[in-house]
Amino acid sequence: MRNSQAKKDENRRLILDAAGHLFRERGIDSVTVADVMKAASMTHGGFYRHFADKNELVTQALADVLGNREEPATIGAFADAYLSMEHRAAVGDGCTFAALGPEVARGADEPRRVMSDTVRRRIDNFARTLPGAETERRQVAIGSWATMIGAILLARMAEDPVLAGEILDAARAWIDAGQPAGQNAGDNPMQLQPAGPTSP
Amino acid sequence: MRNSQAKKDENRRLILDAAGHLFRERGIDSVTVADVMKAASMTHGGFYRHFADKNELVTQALADVLGNREEPATIGAFADAYLSMEHRAAVGDGCTFAALGPEVARGADEPRRVMSDTVRRRIDNFARTLPGAETERRQVAIGSWATMIGAILLARMAEDPVLAGEILDAARAWIDAGQPAGQNAGDNPMQLQPAGPTSP
DNA sequence: TGTACATCAGTGAACGCGCGTTCACTGATGTAC
DNA sequence: TGTACATCAGTGAACGCGCGTTCACTGATGTAC
């Protein structure tokens, strides 16, 4: 039962979306090709009509999820969404760096390169939206972003929601304190899906 | 060839050390029981004289590595060691939260509880060594720690050592900027092995 | 202190299962005329 | 425009391999007397 090219493209999108969510939610190693195909409403055999192997899926799913950005306008708005209990809970829809950073960093070359390139681009873009001198802008960009990633990680490691909330709030205040007064202008390009689950 | 109790205890220590290093270096899922036993100079069959299953090893190795602390005296000294290219490279001897946080956070209950409890304890201990009012101390403790964890993650994701170095330096400066002037007193209890590889 | 025996730490083969991947098959799609 | 045929997207069984775990075995350790 051959499918049309349009249907194939649509199915490929379903596979990438399912992979992007499942990988972030459960980790790359723990998600099987069959899991992804099932979430995309297909059986596992057809997978290889779309990708050479699992590693190619990982690479493309990462590139896909790291490439699709449309972001809140200010660093403050971004931090508010990022450092929220909703983002803490929505791992599968949340920040890819926080969900998969360590695993990708020690993994295969191609996915690692995608993530590495994205880190550089994000820092550049983020810094560009900040005021001040080059060095200080990059420092604030890096410092703010690192704080957010570390804080969401800590908040997810902490099982107690009260402690998790304190961590997120403290990080939010810490970011404000670290910036020269009167910031929060310009949009930024950092990683965050639209709040709340959006797919499988 | 039965071993003495002393020899058994010694072997158990070898297993825990090997596991602590291998898990951080390659991730828990990617390290097999046979890998750990081989690194401890034994064959895999004897493993179950020490642990009921792999999950128990994970739990105990985490408890072990998260419990053994003797730390630099000041937050500045700690951040200097933490935000270094040496720590970036020494994943297997480095911060457990940065290496395994996401994987443990989404994994089995017992290891997760160990890590969760440690997060709370570290924040408490860290805040205790800082000056100022309670709220501010905890904010600085959480903010500094989150910055460090996020920064080492970003530095490891970035393949380019120059960019990695910039990230670490910027985070270091960001931490100084975020603190009320004239800090850096008291020791702190955060996660970092003695610099440089120490075992298998 | 010596002797006889039970225990049990570690070995290495084996088992069962789940995973990534392959393959024969199907029938709708697309193309050549 | 219609017809004949080749293509190929997706199916589901099967394969090979590696993993966690089990097990019979070994012989040194520890214990009872």
Side-chain angles (χ1 to χ4, degrees):
Chain A
M1 48 168 87
R2 180 182 180 180
N3 272 4
S4 69
Q5 183 61 40
K7 180 65 181 163
K8 186 186 182 188
D9 292 347
E10 187 183 319
N11 283 342
R12 181 193 166 86
R13 178 106 305 279
L14 289 176
I15 295 170
L16 284 175
D17 286 345
H21 283 86
L22 287 174
F23 287 153
R24 279 179 283 175
E25 194 154 302
R26 299 202 236 135
I28 294 168
D29 251 32
S30 312
V31 172
T32 71
V33 168
D35 287 338
V36 172
M37 292 303 280
K38 190 175 179 189
S41 311
M42 284 174 277
T43 56
H44 61 280
F47 175 80
Y48 296 88
R49 298 278 173 193
H50 293 275
F51 304 95
D53 50 30
K54 188 185 178 185
N55 191 52
E56 188 177 309
L57 171 65
V58 172
T59 307
Q60 303 219 15
L62 272 184
D64 187 60
V65 89
L66 291 172
N68 295 334
R69 288 286 82 65
E70 3 154 6
E71 291 306 335
T74 68
I75 177 182
F78 179 72
D80 285 340
Y82 196 101
L83 297 170
S84 68
M85 291 298 275
E86 289 71 30
H87 184 202
R88 170 176 177 268
V91 187
D93 297 304
C95 173
T96 304
F97 302 99
L100 299 176
E103 185 172 358
V104 171
R106 66 179 164 241
D109 283 346
E110 301 88 331
R112 203 188 160 194
R113 177 149 310 117
V114 169
M115 194 165 256
S116 177
D117 290 348
T118 309
V119 166
R120 160 167 273 130
R121 197 163 359 99
R122 295 279 165 90
I123 291 174
D124 291 348
N125 289 348
F126 191 13
R128 199 172 298 131
T129 69
L130 291 168
E134 172 78 2
T135 308
E136 188 191 3
R137 282 165 18 183
R138 289 184 67 85
Q139 179 189 306
V140 172
I142 291 168
S144 306
W145 196 21
T147 303
M148 290 190 229
I149 291 175
I152 197 80
L153 262 176
L154 286 172
R156 283 173 178 163
M157 291 186 237
E159 294 184 305
D160 176 9
V162 175
L163 178 58
E166 185 195 359
I167 291 168
L168 296 175
D169 290 346
R172 186 67 188 81
W174 171 257
I175 287 173
D176 272 346
Q179 290 181 80
Q183 297 266 327
N184 299 7
D187 62 2
N188 77 68
M190 290 194 296
Q191 165 72 15
L192 185 70
Q193 305 300 319
T198 53
S199 115
Chain B
M1 47 167 89
R2 180 181 179 181
N3 273 5
S4 69
Q5 183 61 40
K7 181 65 181 163
K8 187 187 181 186
D9 292 348
E10 188 183 317
N11 282 342
R12 181 193 166 86
R13 178 106 304 278
L14 289 176
I15 295 170
L16 284 175
D17 285 344
H21 282 86
L22 287 174
F23 286 154
R24 279 180 284 175
E25 193 155 304
R26 299 202 236 134
I28 293 168
D29 251 32
S30 312
V31 172
T32 70
V33 167
D35 288 337
V36 172
M37 292 303 280
K38 190 176 178 188
S41 310
M42 283 174 278
T43 57
H44 61 281
F47 175 81
Y48 296 89
R49 299 280 173 192
H50 293 276
F51 304 95
D53 50 30
K54 188 185 179 184
N55 191 52
E56 188 177 309
L57 171 66
V58 173
T59 307
Q60 304 219 14
L62 272 184
D64 187 61
V65 89
L66 290 172
N68 295 333
R69 289 286 82 66
E70 3 153 8
E71 291 304 336
T74 68
I75 176 182
F78 179 72
D80 286 340
Y82 196 102
L83 296 170
S84 69
M85 291 298 275
E86 289 71 30
H87 183 202
R88 170 176 177 266
V91 188
D93 297 304
C95 174
T96 304
F97 303 99
L100 299 177
E103 186 172 357
V104 171
R106 66 181 164 240
D109 284 345
E110 300 90 331
R112 205 192 157 189
R113 178 149 309 117
V114 168
M115 193 165 257
S116 177
D117 290 348
T118 308
V119 166
R120 161 167 271 129
R121 196 162 0 100
R122 294 279 165 90
I123 291 175
D124 291 348
N125 289 347
F126 191 14
R128 199 171 297 130
T129 70
L130 292 168
E134 170 78 2
T135 308
E136 190 192 1
R137 280 163 22 181
R138 290 184 67 84
Q139 180 189 305
V140 172
I142 291 167
S144 307
W145 195 20
T147 303
M148 290 189 229
I149 291 175
I152 197 80
L153 262 176
L154 286 172
R156 283 173 178 162
M157 291 187 237
E159 294 184 305
D160 176 8
V162 175
L163 178 57
E166 184 195 0
I167 292 169
L168 297 175
D169 290 346
R172 186 67 189 78
W174 172 257
I175 287 174
D176 272 346
Q179 290 182 80
Q183 297 266 329
N184 299 8
D187 61 4
N188 76 68
M190 290 194 299
Q191 165 70 17
L192 185 69
Q193 305 301 320
T198 54
S199 114

